[in-house]
Amino acid sequence: MEKLKELWGVIVIGFLLSIWGVNSSEFDEIFSNKSEVTLLESMSFLESIYGASAAAVPPNALMVGLTLVQGAATKGAVCLDGTLPGYHLHPGHGEEANSWLIELEGGGWCNNIRTCVYRKGTHRGSSNLFEKKIPFTGILSNKAEENPDFFNWNRVKIRYCDGASFAGDSEDKATGLQFRGQRIWLAAIEDLMSRGMHNADQALLSGCSAGGLASILHCDEFQSFFPGSTKVKCLSDAGLFMDAVDISGGHTLREFFGGVVSLQGVKKNLPSSCTEHLDPTSCFFPQNLIANIETPMFILNAAYDSWQVQQSLASHTADPEGTWHECKLNHERCSTLQIQFLQDFRKDMLNAVKGFAKSQQNGLFINSCFAHCQSERQDTWFADESPVIGNKAVAIAVGDWYFDRANIKAIDCPYPCDKTCHNLVFKK
């Protein structure tokens, strides 16, 4: 297990901006049968190295300290290992002193006892291992030139240490595992309310990846915490996980999510509008939730979401012979048939948001990139060469939507037309 931890360290360190600095042999070791964890276990950990942690942190980035939620343990709101949950808060100022942006951290899931026991020994399962300070970049930046619409808001990042997108509520007494994501979510919000969020006149709930899924699951609940006079909206970045058929005809991600939902007691916290007519695992997939969310929501997603390509569509289980190996390292090495499979995945994603897009209050930004998480990274959120659709960067699109400056339904043309993408590519 120590060798595996060291390997993950090598991978994370190897990231530079949008280029993956991982060589092919390391990639093979993670996803071969010789690995100490199975594919479904490795899915939890690979997801956590996307996003802000994968990009080079700007040298002048704001570093924000950790606050533990005191008293949370009395409510049973604890991480997998029983430690206190926490968040990072940078206060707003000026005209936006009563505006609040809540970012739910991403970082995979755990779907069985083995993966959750491993996870509780990492910063994804124990606040003892949280970084004491983290950089606030992208949508969390405090600089107007990097984050034009939200730089002077109260900006919060709630740490993720449960493994079920802040939605579980159960325990495993034999191992001492605490699956308390729902309670962590509620305890963090209650604590923030006591620190001034109850006075909010504007609020935005956001999240990346597993946090993006969480922002969908909790969007209407978030709105319920505020009076009707408060403007409340939600943003999901890279959270549109599809219940897709993989290259072998199976459902890799459905199998994985099924374990998460059953193990961590997620069912009771899923929207009843879904569970009344679908099984709990189906109601963990955003495509079955988004059309019924009443609060205005913005979906930001790459059409060829790189995490889903690697871990849902062409996982080692689905591709034991490695026919997709080169394609997963670099999309430019994909065959014509592989590109067609990915184009079909894009079509399925666009079909999944059709009903959602009909609502005037909702927003979309689906670019034809091989990426995952674009709001937390400065280079993809708002920079000189950040991705655009119709000359509009992600930050401007989200701001225009939130402040009702424009109706944003931005859907990119199919690959390879977009030359502004910051595609994630493994170096061989």
Side-chain angles (χ1 to χ4, degrees):
M1 188 61 72
E2 288 304 314
K3 290 182 179 179
L4 182 64
K5 292 178 181 178
E6 291 172 5
L7 177 60
W8 286 112
V10 170
I11 294 173
V12 175
I13 293 170
F15 272 100
L16 288 174
L17 293 174
S18 61
I19 302 299
W20 288 47
V22 183
N23 67 44
S24 179
S25 62
E26 288 169 344
F27 187 79
D28 285 337
E29 183 176 349
I30 296 169
F31 299 108
S32 70
N33 288 327
K34 296 178 182 178
S35 174
E36 293 184 40
V37 293
T38 65
L39 169 78
L40 291 183
E41 291 172 322
S42 70
M43 290 172 71
S44 298
F45 310 119
L46 180 60
E47 192 270 3
S48 70
I49 62 176
Y50 284 97
S53 63
V57 177
N60 60 344
L62 174 70
M63 301 299 291
V64 180
L66 173 67
T67 298
L68 294 178
V69 183
Q70 302 300 327
T74 62
K75 306 180 179 88
V78 292
C79 298
L80 285 172
D81 70 339
T83 53
L84 293 175
Y87 58 79
H88 302 256
L89 163 65
H90 189 254
H93 59 87
E95 295 180 355
E96 305 302 341
N98 287 324
S99 297
W100 288 75
L101 190 156
I102 308 300
E103 172 90 358
L104 298 175
E105 185 179 33
W109 310 267
C110 58
N111 69 318
N112 56 37
I113 294 299
R114 186 182 179 193
T115 59
C116 292
V117 167
Y118 179 92
R119 186 182 179 98
K120 80 171 183 176
T122 75
H123 68 291
R124 301 298 184 191
S126 173
S127 62
N128 288 338
L129 300 172
F130 285 171
E131 302 90 336
K132 301 309 179 187
K133 290 185 177 182
I134 62 172
F136 269 27
T137 59
I139 197 171
L140 296 175
S141 172
N142 65 329
K143 301 175 180 64
E145 63 272 21
E146 296 178 349
N147 188 23
D149 284 308
F150 306 108
F151 72 96
N152 56 349
W153 285 36
N154 297 279
R155 298 166 331 285
V156 181
K157 187 162 194 170
I158 300 178
R159 300 303 298 269
Y160 181 36
C161 63
D162 63 280
S165 287
F166 296 90
D169 193 7
S170 65
E171 64 179 332
D172 183 74
K173 293 182 179 179
T175 58
L177 287 167
Q178 296 293 315
F179 306 120
R180 304 300 185 185
Q182 178 71 19
R183 299 190 191 195
I184 290 172
W185 153 255
L186 293 173
I189 292 296
E190 181 180 352
D191 196 69
L192 292 168
M193 286 291 186
S194 73
R195 293 175 183 266
M197 194 167 72
H198 68 285
N199 292 321
D201 49 37
Q202 297 182 121
L204 175 63
L205 177 66
S206 69
C208 157
S209 200
L213 171 56
S215 70
I216 292 172
L217 293 171
H218 291 297
C219 184
D220 283 339
E221 185 180 16
F222 184 64
Q223 186 183 49
S224 73
F225 298 140
F226 300 93
S229 58
T230 304
K231 182 174 187 171
V232 180
K233 296 189 179 185
C234 306
L235 163 66
S236 173
D237 176 12
L240 190 58
F241 294 97
M242 298 291 295
D243 188 4
V245 177
D246 62 38
I247 62 171
S248 70
H251 290 81
T252 299
L253 192 54
R254 167 169 279 274
E255 181 183 347
F256 183 79
F257 274 179
V260 175
V261 170
S262 62
L263 176 68
Q264 299 209 34
V266 172
K267 178 181 178 180
K268 57 193 168 189
N269 296 316
L270 295 170
S272 59
S273 60
C274 181
T275 55
E276 287 173 356
H277 65 277
L278 291 176
D279 64 274
T281 300
S282 294
C283 295
F284 203 62
F285 281 99
Q287 66 197 75
N288 299 317
L289 301 173
I290 54 177
N292 294 318
I293 294 175
E294 297 179 359
T295 308
M297 170 159 279
F298 192 101
I299 291 178
L300 164 63
N301 227 93
Y304 314 100
D305 185 290
S306 56
W307 187 91
Q308 294 190 64
V309 171
Q310 292 179 5
Q311 297 305 316
S312 175
L313 301 182
S315 67
H316 180 75
T317 300
D319 182 33
E321 301 301 319
T323 58
W324 276 69
H325 174 74
E326 292 298 314
C327 179
K328 290 194 296 183
L329 288 178
N330 186 339
H331 60 278
E332 293 182 355
R333 300 177 190 153
C334 296
S335 69
T336 301
L337 288 177
Q338 288 169 336
I339 289 295
Q340 185 55 57
F341 188 90
L342 297 177
Q343 299 292 23
D344 290 341
F345 175 74
R346 172 183 176 272
K347 290 177 183 177
D348 289 342
M349 183 180 288
L350 296 184
N351 284 332
V353 300
K354 275 186 176 179
F356 170 87
K358 290 178 181 178
S359 174
Q360 182 76 16
Q361 69 177 10
N362 294 331
L364 278 175
F365 191 102
I366 299 182
N367 53 351
S368 293
C369 303
F370 291 80
H372 186 77
C373 289
Q374 299 179 85
S375 64
E376 295 181 348
R377 294 173 51 145
Q378 197 59 56
D379 65 310
T380 49
W381 174 247
F382 193 65
D384 289 341
E385 297 182 356
S386 56
V388 297
I389 298 179
N391 294 320
K392 187 167 289 191
V394 175
I396 302 304
V398 173
D400 283 352
W401 162 78
Y402 185 89
F403 293 103
D404 303 309
R405 296 189 295 246
N407 178 25
I408 305 296
K409 301 291 193 302
I411 297 178
D412 216 350
C413 49
Y415 172 82
C417 71
D418 192 335
K419 306 305 180 185
T420 70
C421 290
H422 288 208
N423 293 313
L424 294 169
V425 176
F426 276 99
K427 290 180 178 179
K428 188 167 182 177

